[in-house]
Amino acid sequence: MKQEMNELYTQLLAQARLHDAVATAVLAGGTRLFIYPLERGVLLALGAGTGGGQALRAETLLRRRGADLRRLGAWLPALFNDGSWYLVRRCADSEANGLDDNEWLAAEELLR
């Protein structure tokens, strides 16, 4: 699955750079992936749509992330205007071909 994520990531990154705009895809289970090109690197967001218990969700995300900042700290929880929660991460140009398996697994762990 991680290889599939990296393939999708690189496809979306190419589209985002071509159009200088956000590129997005909906994954299995409704998870969304957003890619936005920066002058250097890219902004990646991974998350789910709106749902109930937003305050608990925020607390849960922050508690999980804070429990293991070394491994999970690159993923920053963000609340979008529509009430949905995403994990946002700035990726360097060196990560243009995707993230390693541990990074995707860390995001999955936070989103559970």
Side-chain angles (χ1 to χ4, degrees):
M1 177 181 147
K2 306 309 171 252
Q3 182 178 354
E4 293 170 6
M5 286 295 290
N6 280 333
E7 288 173 10
L8 181 58
Y9 170 85
T10 55
Q11 290 171 2
L12 289 175
L13 179 55
Q15 290 176 16
R17 286 186 173 154
L18 177 67
H19 301 289
D20 194 29
V22 174
T24 184
V26 179
L27 310 173
T31 301
R32 293 182 177 268
L33 176 65
F34 289 91
I35 305 291
Y36 182 73
L38 303 171
E39 186 174 319
R40 293 186 182 179
V42 63
L43 199 60
L44 178 152
L46 185 66
T50 59
Q54 298 301 327
L56 177 62
R57 182 73 173 160
E59 182 180 338
T60 302
L61 281 172
L62 292 172
R63 186 179 299 128
R64 285 179 187 164
R65 183 176 175 268
D68 192 355
L69 275 177
R70 172 177 263 161
R71 193 169 60 85
L72 306 172
W75 294 101
L76 304 172
L79 176 63
F80 280 28
N81 286 339
D82 67 357
S84 56
W85 283 99
Y86 286 83
L87 299 175
V88 179
R89 175 191 174 105
R90 182 184 297 261
C91 299
D93 286 329
S94 62
E95 296 169 310
N97 292 323
L99 304 176
D100 67 34
D101 288 353
N102 292 328
E103 294 297 332
W104 291 117
L105 289 171
E108 287 177 14
E109 182 180 320
L110 283 170
L111 288 173
R112 277 190 247 140

